[in-house]
Amino acid sequence: MAERVLELRVHGVSNTPPDQILGLPTDPTGVGQPPRLVSGGNVTGFYRASDSAPDDPVVVEAYSWGQLTSGARTARDVERALWTLLLPFTLANVALYARPGIPPDPDTERWGSRSGITAWLIRLFCLSLTGTLVLAAAGIGVDLIAWQCVDHECLRRLPGSWEFLGRGWWRADAHALAAGLLVPLAMLLVLGVVAWRTYQYEAEMPAEPRSPLADHCEHPTPPALANPLQDPTFWGGEGQLRRAAVLHLCVGAALAAAVPVGAVLVMDPARGVRAVVAAPTVAALVAVVAIAVVAVGRPWLTRRSGATPLGAWSIAVGVLTGVALVGTFTLLLLPDGPAGSPLAQWRPPAGCASDPSLAGCLTDHSLPGYDGLVAWLATYQVLLLMAIGTVARSGRRALLVPGTVGVLLPLGMAWRDGWLSGLPTAPDGLRIWMLAAPAVAVAATGLLLPRTGSDADQQPLGAHTDMAWGGRGAAVIAGFGWMMAIAYCAGLLYWVTDRLDGPASPSGLSPIVPPLPVIWAGLAFTVATAALLGTLIHAGMLFRRLRRAEYTRLTARRRDLSAHDLRRCRDVSRFRALHRLVGEHAVRLIGCYATVAAVLVALSCVAALTRTRPAPAGASGWSGLVRAAADLGDTMLGWLPLVVAGLGLLVYRNDTVRRSVGVLWDIGTFWPRAAHPLAPPSYAERAVPELQTRIAGILALTEHDPRRMDGVILSGHSQGAVICAATLLQLPARWRRRIWFLSYGCQLTRLYGRIFPAYFGPARLRVLADSLTWPAGHVAWTNFWRDTDPLGWRISAGERDVPVTDPEALHPSGGEVADPPIRNHGGYPEALEFHRERTLVARLLRRTVPSPRVG
């Protein structure tokens, strides 16, 4: 039987159709034969040309995985667009993989190590991020609707039948708070249903991961892991997802219940029957949070072990949450106790919605304690982000700085407020910001400690391939996710407040006020938007300078260029400048903006702790400008979730938007949900096992099977090259000896290698090259790159780097009438260099005994 080679092509983020992946000619009439599906289904599939023959020496096959993230224009697009609203969870989950120092074998990672403590801190941060969303929903349901919105005029502005809260039994005592608590609990129920559906989305491949490294014929025991991507359970963590989801949902329910319970117990301390109900309820709420904080660092949760049961910890947390919720609703439905003043005295008087000028309407009647709870949670999230960056950069001993600040800051606040008996009273002129600002500044100094650890000693593969942001990548990525979550929640709270307020009062005040941190968030968002515009302007100026430099280099010492050639040089210089801007300066620009954002966030948290507003209503001068900036920021925040969801829908429906934005989305959803179980699903948990199964199945066919292939050329473009690299690290050595890897438009060095050094850093990327080294000594890996490709660079990890000329000429030649196109990030298989290399590779793979490369 004739020797045959299969070229298996994997596309990138643009969701290239199978006919274009296969290089089939376009058929404007639409009557040609479409590619035929040879394996897979409607979501992911392997396609070949309809006219491919069994005796073709090289058979081209396309693997289409794009519908896992983009799909067709169907109702599923809307569902996937809504996943973009979970982008904060995605970024927080990605931060887990950006930490340096991860050992190759996850079973050797210890909790007390640098990477172990950083992983625990990131999982704690993810837990707090779920709490941020829950507190925002509790603010809407418990504070704005059930507490401040007390009369029929205000309740009529809500969609649905909420008027019952303003009359009769529901209006008395804290009964309305029980109805308001259903809002955050309903949101958690929706998140749980979505999470369960996405687990089914990933679980269509066979569960029970089998170690691909166990080759019993050649290795009695599996070889030692040299890259975490070689872990056989890396892409099979359904059990971990379920266990982590239980913790997140239960902690969210506990935080939601703590809002009304804490407010009621502070206003009206429990006695008698209320005390009997309150004591176990508070104990159960505290136990749920305490168990979750400890559990996220335990090996039973951090190890990905397939479809394993929930375990005793998850069951205990679920039972305690149920007890806490029963106690919460019982406490809220009981009448007021005799210890404090009636709750009605704390709520706004009736009639404020129709006439805000009534006595007492323009006073702040927000739910007591809610503003402080939100401000303290945000402050500790900032300290947690600083701890993540400090430990990831300088080791576990550096945790002492932010940890000490986290302990001393509340003690200082208690001392100022006179809550610490036995100590001298604080000076009269001492303000909260005088304690909070130095504390946050001291915690931030931990980010400036020198970098330590083995990752700091690795030699980069080339220029601009060092570790991104000095080892603080996990904190930077998680910080952007946190800022987006704060923006979502603040905008939603402000939008609901604005709808409930109705017409404003003559003095500019409103009867229903949003939480104080929301106002500071609006001011911070205005300044952050201005800083972002400044960063974009700086990037544009840098791009123009690079374009002029490239144009000068193209036209220098060439006097024979025509006007047409000069115009083409301008076009080429534009793409080369973009290539340099992304590859050399993008990470630095993001780091500069992250620094500005970090300072702004720290100042906003300090301001929120002061319990003061940026400026009074009706102020003029500078105070009026600050007030207008805060209102503008809150208005923009109110529309932010809709803008992000609309952009997410365009990413799935518009190829132009997808090519520019989709790369960031696909980077985030490439990684499994090992830190935040409520993030959008990972498409790689489907794509990698499917590719692995397809390659091993084809190479394992018997000699007389007509489908047999003697070798496989695994050809990956852009994000497809990353998927192929992950697949190759999962395959056994006996299959890799019959595979050649062709990568093009590849981001493994200047993007993945810098941000995820533990997986694609210099040492770990050389592991991939070593695993593709044949017994003859040469590396079965060729990388193609262009200096006009903004997302494709050389690798230099031991593979063969082939530069591709683009464009082929500045003017038409060979009888053509059109200029050769500038292909930048696409069209690599059509290049002459690609055809030449593939021909040589196919000849090597068809030989029974591979011979070394010559030349």
Side-chain angles (χ1 to χ4, degrees):
M1 185 176 177
E3 295 176 332
R4 305 167 67 210
V5 172
L6 175 69
E7 182 190 355
L8 184 53
R9 295 182 180 177
V10 184
H11 65 80
V13 300
S14 58
N15 191 21
T16 309
D19 55 343
Q20 296 183 22
I21 302 175
L22 296 172
L24 302 179
T26 57
D27 183 14
T29 62
V31 297
Q33 292 292 331
R36 57 187 176 91
L37 180 67
V38 295
S39 182
N42 296 327
V43 179
T44 58
F46 296 83
Y47 296 84
R48 294 182 186 178
S50 57
D51 57 351
S52 61
D55 56 349
D56 289 342
V58 178
V59 178
V60 181
E61 185 172 292
Y63 175 55
S64 178
W65 58 270
Q67 292 200 53
L68 291 172
T69 57
S70 59
R73 289 170 171 82
T74 62
R76 294 190 66 184
D77 282 352
V78 178
E79 179 184 354
R80 294 188 183 106
L82 293 177
W83 287 348
T84 57
L85 297 178
L86 301 178
L87 187 57
F89 296 166
T90 302
L91 294 175
N93 182 73
V94 171
L96 183 71
Y97 299 95
R99 70 192 198 277
I102 302 175
D105 189 349
D107 291 332
T108 62
E109 185 179 50
R110 297 294 177 262
W111 183 90
S113 64
R114 178 176 68 165
S115 63
I117 294 180
T118 307
W120 179 62
L121 293 175
I122 292 174
R123 288 189 170 95
L124 282 182
F125 175 78
C126 291
L127 205 62
S128 72
L129 208 59
T130 303
T132 300
L133 185 62
V134 170
L135 284 182
I140 294 173
V142 178
D143 183 16
L144 297 181
I145 296 177
W147 182 259
Q148 298 190 51
C149 194
V150 295
D151 51 24
H152 296 284
E153 187 66 27
C154 176
L155 294 171
R156 287 195 190 99
R157 295 168 185 159
L158 294 171
S161 300
W162 292 86
E163 290 85 350
F164 69 94
L165 294 178
R167 59 176 178 264
W169 183 81
W170 286 102
R171 183 181 175 84
D173 303 329
H175 301 159
L177 299 184
L181 182 58
L182 296 178
V183 174
L185 295 181
M187 184 207 66
L188 287 173
L189 179 62
V190 171
L191 286 178
V193 172
V194 171
W196 181 82
R197 290 190 61 185
T198 57
Y199 300 158
Q200 307 305 312
Y201 169 91
E202 293 172 351
E204 292 184 17
M205 283 296 293
E208 296 300 334
R210 181 180 59 86
S211 174
L213 297 174
D215 189 348
H216 300 289
C217 298
E218 302 177 12
H219 304 283
T221 59
L225 302 181
N227 190 311
L229 289 173
Q230 293 176 315
D231 178 21
T233 66
F234 191 88
W235 303 107
E238 298 172 41
Q240 181 195 45
L241 289 176
R242 285 193 290 268
R243 295 189 297 269
V246 169
L247 290 180
H248 278 252
L249 295 175
C250 290
V251 169
L255 289 177
V259 172
V261 168
V264 169
L265 293 181
V266 168
M267 294 182 293
D268 187 16
R271 290 183 181 178
V273 178
R274 291 167 57 85
V276 174
V277 176
T281 299
V282 173
L285 292 175
V286 173
V288 168
V289 177
I291 291 176
V293 168
V294 175
V296 294
R298 302 301 300 165
W300 68 271
L301 182 68
T302 58
R303 299 294 183 264
R304 300 176 64 80
S305 53
T308 55
L310 291 179
W313 288 66
S314 300
I315 296 175
V317 170
V319 172
L320 287 173
T321 303
V323 172
L325 289 179
V326 171
T328 298
F329 280 102
T330 303
L331 185 65
L332 296 178
L333 296 178
L334 287 174
D336 289 352
S341 57
L343 301 182
Q345 297 183 8
W346 297 83
R347 302 180 70 181
C352 291
S354 56
D355 187 5
S357 60
L358 293 176
C361 287
L362 300 183
T363 307
D364 187 355
H365 290 283
S366 58
L367 187 68
Y370 179 75
D371 292 6
L373 180 61
V374 174
W376 277 106
L377 176 63
T379 302
Y380 269 90
Q381 284 176 325
V382 171
L383 294 177
L384 196 56
L385 288 171
M386 292 179 182
I388 291 171
T390 299
V391 176
R393 175 177 170 84
S394 305
R396 59 184 180 181
R397 295 180 180 177
L399 182 62
L400 180 65
V401 177
T404 303
V405 171
V407 173
L408 294 180
L409 182 58
L411 294 178
M413 296 294 187
W415 172 59
R416 178 197 172 276
D417 294 336
W419 293 350
L420 297 179
S421 59
L423 292 180
T425 58
D428 294 336
L430 186 64
R431 299 290 183 266
I432 293 178
W433 65 267
M434 295 180 182
L435 296 174
V440 175
V442 169
T445 58
L447 297 172
L448 305 178
L449 295 176
R451 183 158 52 120
T452 60
S454 58
D455 295 282
D457 303 327
Q458 289 185 9
Q459 294 297 322
L461 298 174
H464 308 288
T465 59
D466 56 330
M467 193 182 304
W469 307 306
R472 309 179 191 93
V476 172
I477 296 173
F480 280 122
W482 177 77
M483 288 191 295
M484 182 165 286
I486 293 295
Y488 281 177
C489 296
L492 189 59
L493 284 166
Y494 182 83
W495 186 86
V496 174
T497 303
D498 188 60
R499 296 303 179 272
L500 294 178
D501 274 333
S505 66
S507 61
L509 294 174
S510 302
I512 297 179
V513 295
L516 181 61
V518 170
I519 302 176
W520 285 107
L523 179 60
F525 186 74
T526 301
V527 180
T529 303
L532 179 60
L533 292 177
T535 304
L536 295 177
I537 292 173
H538 175 60
M541 296 172 62
L542 182 60
F543 172 74
R544 291 186 59 184
R545 185 165 71 247
L546 293 173
R547 186 178 61 183
R548 286 196 300 267
E550 292 297 327
Y551 179 77
T552 302
R553 191 173 68 172
L554 284 172
T555 58
R557 301 179 182 178
R558 297 186 63 178
R559 304 294 183 183
D560 57 338
L561 295 177
S562 63
H564 175 273
D565 292 339
L566 292 175
R567 179 182 60 80
R568 291 279 287 168
C569 286
R570 285 194 293 271
D571 296 337
V572 174
S573 64
R574 184 185 307 113
F575 286 100
R576 288 189 177 183
L578 187 60
H579 171 82
R580 293 186 57 188
L581 177 67
V582 176
E584 300 174 8
H585 302 282
V587 172
R588 179 180 59 83
L589 292 174
I590 294 174
C592 293
Y593 180 72
T595 302
V596 175
V599 174
L600 185 61
V601 161
L603 293 177
S604 300
C605 290
V606 171
L609 289 175
T610 61
R611 310 187 195 102
T612 58
R613 297 183 178 274
S620 59
W622 283 106
S623 298
L625 182 61
V626 171
R627 176 77 181 193
D631 291 340
L632 175 61
D634 284 324
T635 302
M636 292 189 296
L637 286 175
W639 291 100
L640 183 63
L642 295 179
V643 172
V644 173
L647 184 62
L649 186 60
L650 287 178
V651 165
Y652 297 130
R653 299 176 68 91
N654 187 283
D655 291 339
T656 303
V657 178
R658 175 161 181 77
R659 289 189 181 96
S660 57
V661 181
V663 61
L664 299 177
W665 177 254
D666 282 358
I667 289 174
T669 54
F670 169 79
W671 300 99
R673 294 176 289 183
H676 205 301
L678 305 180
S682 166
Y683 61 87
E685 288 202 325
R686 284 281 304 277
V688 171
E690 283 188 351
L691 269 177
Q692 179 184 351
T693 303
R694 179 66 176 169
I695 293 172
I698 287 179
L699 293 179
L701 293 173
T702 60
E703 183 177 356
H704 301 288
D705 195 305
R707 300 168 297 171
R708 171 183 168 81
M709 297 291 173
D710 294 276
V712 173
I713 301 175
L714 191 56
S715 177
H717 172 238
S718 188
Q719 187 69 16
V722 181
I723 296 175
C724 291
T727 303
L728 289 169
L729 289 171
Q730 290 276 313
L731 283 171
R734 68 178 185 274
W735 302 135
R736 288 197 302 266
R737 292 170 187 165
R738 297 167 59 186
I739 297 174
W740 197 289
F741 182 27
L742 298 182
S743 59
Y744 39 95
C746 186
Q747 307 109 27
L748 285 176
T749 51
R750 299 198 184 184
L751 184 59
Y752 277 87
R754 301 186 69 181
I755 300 177
F756 309 108
Y759 300 89
F760 299 103
R764 303 294 165 82
L765 203 55
R766 292 189 181 99
V767 172
L768 177 61
D770 293 341
S771 67
L772 292 172
T773 302
W774 285 2
H778 59 277
V779 181
W781 181 8
T782 306
N783 178 65
F784 303 90
W785 66 280
R786 295 188 181 114
D787 55 7
T788 58
D789 185 354
L791 296 176
W793 303 281
R794 65 168 70 243
I795 294 180
S796 304
E799 85 301 337
R800 171 178 161 84
D801 271 312
V802 177
V804 178
T805 303
D806 186 46
E808 297 175 356
L810 293 178
H811 47 269
S813 59
E816 293 288 340
V817 296
D819 290 327
I822 303 175
R823 300 186 183 275
N824 56 83
H825 191 54
Y828 278 93
E830 287 79 25
L832 179 63
E833 295 87 348
F834 186 93
H835 280 282
R836 184 186 302 120
E837 184 74 11
R838 192 188 71 165
T839 301
L840 295 174
V841 167
R843 186 183 308 164
L844 286 173
L845 289 173
R846 285 198 298 266
R847 297 180 179 178
T848 306
V849 180
S851 39
R853 284 288 301 267
V854 179

